[in-house]
Amino acid sequence: DDEAAIQFDAQGRSTHTTYMVYKILTKEGVDGWDSIGVNWEPWHEQSPTIRARVITPDQIAHNLDPKTITDAQAQDDDNKIYGDRRLMRAPLPAIAPGSIVEQEVTVKETSPLFAAGSAQRIFVGRWVPVQHFLLVLDAPSSIPLRYNARLMPDVKPTRTEENGRVRVEYESGPLDALTDLGNLFPSDVPEYPTVTVSTGSSWKSVAEEYGRIVDEKIAAANLSSLVAKLIDGKKSREEKAASILQYLDREVRYTGVEFGDAAIVPHTPTETLTHKYGDCKDKAVLLVAMLRAAGIPSYVALLNAGNREEIDADLAGMGMFDHVIVYAPGSPDLWIDATDEYARLGELPQMDQGRYALPARAGESSLVRTPESK
């Protein structure tokens, strides 16, 4: 039994509860399913609540000992990123073939991930058979709750509205075990069944809110003298931009310090120049500030890079973007990845090509496709 419930309050804060019951059949099952864990982010979430019990074949219940729960810094897949994301986990007691495990994990937000709305994708199914799946969405009628299922043609959501709240349920099962399909799918073709949920009213509000944050970070930067030296003698927009980009590649290495809301909010250009390092959003904001100082209008653009499944263009919200690049409109438009030190001006690395992107600027009302190499 695999269940999840996401409840939103009037401020857009979510409480995410997952509930699961499963039976251990083999020794391999013991090795792979003998613990419980959850990642969380202290800057906008409370410490999670974990409950579990194991019922052994002799019908004795063994409750999870709260003293065995550990809460430590999570290991990031990228060793160039430093942050305060946490991993709470614990070993399950009395696990053996024939045992039945019941567990519940609750993660509650103390503040919304993003003021203009968030988006998240829930995968349906697991690498083992699932007898019953249930997803419940619950939100005030005032919240612009939107949702969309993919690869679930026989599952129709039930929606009810009562006492000022909206409740949506997706229910399915039994489901066969998922199989690994590799990573060669086009980004706009889903590999596995999913339900995507968002609380953003529009991409316009997301673009304007993130653009406002970027403009605030840039406002205090005084880069005129530095940029003037870099573009001295350069005539065209492309020559000026190329000189600035070469300086950035040479002087600022890729390293992310993402404590607190720096997980999604960039540092100021001054901070990035002082430390001589930054992650994708830090370097992108610094590049935008330098281009603007050179008289070149430019903006950061949010996207989901690589060969992962694309963002749903109909569901606005922060939470599914994982990369930031730079967009300088003109003739031609310039798209620049400030973290790719080997790309020439006008070249995007393959992972950025043909992806949905959101330029963070006033009036931007929809996602746009980044250019693809011919």
Side-chain angles (χ1 to χ4, degrees):
D1 185 39
D2 191 7
E3 303 182 17
I6 306 174
Q7 186 178 58
F8 297 95
D9 65 13
Q11 286 72 48
R13 297 173 298 191
S14 69
T15 298
H16 195 153
T17 302
T18 56
Y19 173 83
M20 185 164 57
V21 178
Y22 59 90
K23 185 173 184 178
I24 299 293
L25 303 178
T26 65
K27 178 62 168 62
E28 289 76 17
V30 172
D31 295 338
W33 293 72
D34 63 350
S35 64
I36 182 173
V38 58
N39 286 295
W40 66 287
E41 297 177 326
W43 70 272
H44 71 108
E45 293 173 333
Q46 291 181 4
S47 178
T49 300
I50 293 180
R51 299 195 304 157
R53 64 174 178 167
V54 179
I55 304 170
T56 46
D58 56 7
Q59 300 185 29
I60 296 176
H62 303 262
N63 292 323
L64 175 68
D65 184 353
K67 295 192 295 292
T68 66
I69 299 175
T70 62
D71 188 8
Q73 183 173 343
Q75 296 297 313
D76 201 288
D77 294 336
D78 187 344
N79 61 10
K80 295 288 188 179
I81 299 295
Y82 302 83
D84 52 4
R85 190 166 58 92
R86 310 286 296 178
L87 171 61
M88 180 178 287
R89 65 191 187 103
L92 294 171
I95 288 284
S99 298
I100 294 175
V101 180
E102 181 183 26
Q103 63 182 49
E104 180 187 73
V105 177
T106 301
V107 182
K108 185 174 184 177
E109 284 192 313
T110 54
S111 61
L113 175 71
F114 190 65
S118 62
Q120 57 185 298
R121 180 172 287 151
I122 298 94
F123 284 86
V124 179
R126 294 182 179 268
W127 303 113
V128 296
V130 173
Q131 296 302 310
H132 174 248
F133 169 81
L134 176 65
L135 171 64
V136 178
L137 310 174
D138 185 282
S141 302
S142 58
I143 294 288
L145 181 68
R146 293 182 173 87
Y147 43 90
N148 185 29
R150 307 189 75 177
L151 296 187
M152 298 173 62
D154 300 326
V155 180
K156 305 302 179 186
T158 60
R159 177 188 173 106
T160 57
E161 189 165 355
E162 187 176 9
N163 298 324
R165 295 195 69 86
V166 173
R167 181 182 175 92
V168 179
E169 294 188 4
Y170 284 91
E171 191 165 15
S172 184
L175 306 173
D176 293 333
L178 300 175
T179 56
D180 188 355
L181 300 176
N183 60 358
L184 299 180
F185 277 64
S187 62
D188 57 351
V189 177
E191 299 177 50
Y192 303 107
T194 59
V195 177
T196 305
V197 183
S198 79
T199 58
S201 61
S202 66
W203 285 119
K204 182 175 182 291
S205 63
V206 176
E208 290 182 349
E209 175 63 15
Y210 203 80
R212 181 191 64 78
I213 292 172
V214 170
D215 290 344
E216 283 185 355
K217 296 295 181 180
I218 289 176
N222 184 5
L223 304 173
S224 300
S225 59
L226 170 62
V227 171
K229 294 177 182 178
L230 295 174
I231 64 174
D232 184 39
K234 308 295 190 296
K235 303 298 183 183
S236 69
R237 177 186 70 151
E238 284 71 19
E239 288 178 325
K240 295 176 182 179
S243 179
I244 293 170
L245 183 60
Q246 288 171 6
Y247 172 85
L248 188 64
D249 290 339
R250 183 175 67 249
E251 297 295 327
V252 181
R253 73 181 191 275
Y254 175 79
T255 296
V257 177
E258 299 183 349
F259 293 96
D261 65 359
I264 63 171
V265 175
H267 292 91
T268 66
T270 301
E271 289 176 305
T272 303
L273 274 178
T274 299
H275 294 135
K276 291 189 177 293
Y277 63 65
D279 62 10
C280 61
K281 58 186 180 296
D282 299 329
K283 296 189 70 171
V285 168
L286 173 57
L287 179 56
V288 165
M290 296 178 75
L291 291 174
R292 290 180 182 178
I296 302 172
S298 57
Y299 309 89
V300 302
L302 311 172
L303 74 160
N304 185 15
N307 55 15
R308 292 175 289 279
E309 184 179 338
E310 263 293 11
I311 290 170
D312 193 318
D314 297 325
L315 301 178
M318 185 70 72
M320 297 181 63
F321 297 115
D322 67 359
H323 196 39
V324 182
I325 59 176
V326 172
Y327 169 60
S331 182
D333 292 341
L334 294 177
W335 294 86
I336 308 167
D337 190 330
T339 65
D340 187 347
E341 59 184 309
Y342 301 110
R344 297 178 182 177
L345 183 72
E347 295 179 348
L348 277 178
Q350 186 177 359
M351 70 175 189
D352 298 344
Q353 295 184 19
R355 306 291 294 189
Y356 275 135
L358 182 68
R361 59 176 179 170
E364 193 69 52
S365 59
S366 62
L367 301 176
V368 297
R369 288 283 186 185
T370 58
E372 294 185 83
S373 170
K374 296 187 172 106

